[in-house]
């Protein structure tokens, strides 16, 4: 089973600034990497798949990059609604299509 | 509009059985995989498995194989997750979700539409 490790566990950033979240896979997942956002009390929302393809309706301030074992989610200018927990998920070698443990993005 | 509507919260005792549901609408239910994701209190997301409602093909995570059963009734566009004997450690929020697309395109195990979640509490 592929283990996904996200860092940092918590990231404190001011509104309007850039946030960079990291995700590392225990072995190569090619470009088969997705990102989700989960706000408190809500279901997760797909942001990005295929490492860098934004899902329908996702603002352009969200971008993804990387390949192999190292991936990054960047939020270019943080809005109030962006403060949430973010999960990466690999779907190259499954089942299971494993999730990372999450990064909590909080207001600085 | 694609919607997944899950059944309501459940409170059960250890050893009891349970079946929760997820009804899809606004799309062709038999053309997309339905997945189940567990979220224990205060914890992250865990991928449990997926089912293809057209033929009930299922793919389980080894962590959940034999512990839960996924099924689907395509005649009423509903997927199910069931337990035969609940444990306190099954206490969690369970989400159903629809796949982005087909396994042949490599995107059947990621999800772009989600249900609201069903909270299952198992306590004596």
């Amino acid at each position: 089973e592929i283990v996904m490790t996200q860092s940092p566990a918590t990231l404190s950033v001011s509104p309007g600034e850039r946030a960079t979240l990291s995700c590392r896979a225990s072995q190569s997942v090619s470009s088969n990497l997705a990102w989700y956002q989960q706000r408190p009390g809500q279901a997760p929302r797909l942001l990005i798949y295929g490492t860098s393809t934004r899902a329908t309706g996702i603002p352009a301030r969200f971008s993804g990059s990387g390949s192999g074992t190292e991936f990054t989610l960047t939020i270019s200018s943080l809005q109030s609604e962006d403060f949430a927990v973010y999960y990466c998920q690999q779907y190259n070698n499954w089942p299971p299509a494993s999730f990372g443990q999450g990064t909590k993005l909080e207001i600085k | 509009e694609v919607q997944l509507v899950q059944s309501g919260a459940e409170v059960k005792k250890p050893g009891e059985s349970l079946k929760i549901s997820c009804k899809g609408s606004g799309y062709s239910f038999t053309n997309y995989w339905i997945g189940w994701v567990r979220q224990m209190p205060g914890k992250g997301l865990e991928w449990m498995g997926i089912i293809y409602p057209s033929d009930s093909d299922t793919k389980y995570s080894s962590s959940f194989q034999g512990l839960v059963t996924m099924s689907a009734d395509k005649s009423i566009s509903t997927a199910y997750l069931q337990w035969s004997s609940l444990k306190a450690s099954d206490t969690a929020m369970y989400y159903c979700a629809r796949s982005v697309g087909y396994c042949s395109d490599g995107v059947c195990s990621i999800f772009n539409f989600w249900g609201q979640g069903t909270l299952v509490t198992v306590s004596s």
Side-chain angles (χ1 to χ4, degrees):
Chain A
E1 176 177 335
I2 295 178
V3 176
M4 306 301 292
T5 303
Q6 293 185 239
S7 61
T10 303
L11 181 62
S12 300
V13 183
S14 300
E17 293 191 340
R18 173 190 297 253
T20 302
L21 289 68
S22 297
C23 176
R24 173 177 291 179
S26 60
Q27 64 189 76
S28 176
V29 298
S30 186
S31 62
N32 297 313
L33 192 283
W35 290 94
Y36 297 82
Q37 176 194 68
Q38 187 177 32
R39 296 173 177 145
Q42 295 187 15
R45 176 173 72 143
L46 178 67
L47 298 175
I48 284 172
Y49 62 99
T51 297
S52 59
T53 301
R54 282 189 300 278
T56 303
I58 301 303
R61 65 179 181 273
F62 292 90
S63 63
S65 62
S67 67
T69 62
E70 301 282 345
F71 299 88
T72 299
L73 174 69
T74 301
I75 311 170
S76 60
S77 178
L78 282 164
Q79 308 295 304
S80 57
E81 62 266 28
D82 299 335
F83 293 96
V85 180
Y86 292 83
Y87 295 93
C88 62
Q89 180 199 16
Q90 70 81 22
Y91 55 101
N92 189 66
N93 190 340
W94 63 277
S98 41
F99 292 95
Q101 82 281 14
T103 289
K104 181 179 181 181
L105 181 57
E106 64 176 27
I107 300 175
K108 186 173 181 180
Chain B
E1 178 193 9
V2 174
Q3 282 195 310
L4 295 172
V5 178
Q6 298 186 231
S7 49
E10 301 274 1
V11 179
K12 292 289 191 178
K13 290 181 167 42
E16 292 187 331
S17 62
L18 176 64
K19 192 174 189 177
I20 62 174
S21 66
C22 169
K23 183 173 177 60
S25 62
Y27 73 99
S28 178
F29 187 72
T30 53
N31 281 4
Y32 292 85
W33 295 74
I34 292 286
W36 291 93
V37 175
R38 183 174 79 174
Q39 188 166 38
M40 300 177 78
K43 302 298 184 183
L45 306 175
E46 298 175 88
W47 193 93
M48 300 177 69
I50 56 173
I51 183 167
Y52 193 57
S54 179
D55 60 6
S56 291
D57 185 16
T58 52
K59 302 184 188 299
Y60 291 95
S61 164
S62 58
S63 297
F64 294 93
Q65 179 90 47
L67 302 180
V68 298
T69 301
M70 296 176 193
S71 60
D73 185 341
K74 61 186 178 183
S75 70
I76 55 172
S77 300
T78 301
Y80 302 95
L81 180 66
Q82 68 181 84
W83 295 258
S84 59
S85 180
L86 286 160
K87 308 180 188 63
S89 57
D90 292 317
T91 295
M93 181 72 83
Y94 292 88
Y95 292 101
C96 68
R98 198 203 78 172
S99 68
V100 169
Y102 306 115
C103 290
S104 57
D105 295 328
V107 290
C108 62
S109 57
I110 59 174
F111 311 117
N112 58 349
F113 292 97
W114 292 69
Q116 82 276 19
T118 295
L119 181 62
V120 174
T121 303
V122 184
S123 174
S124 55

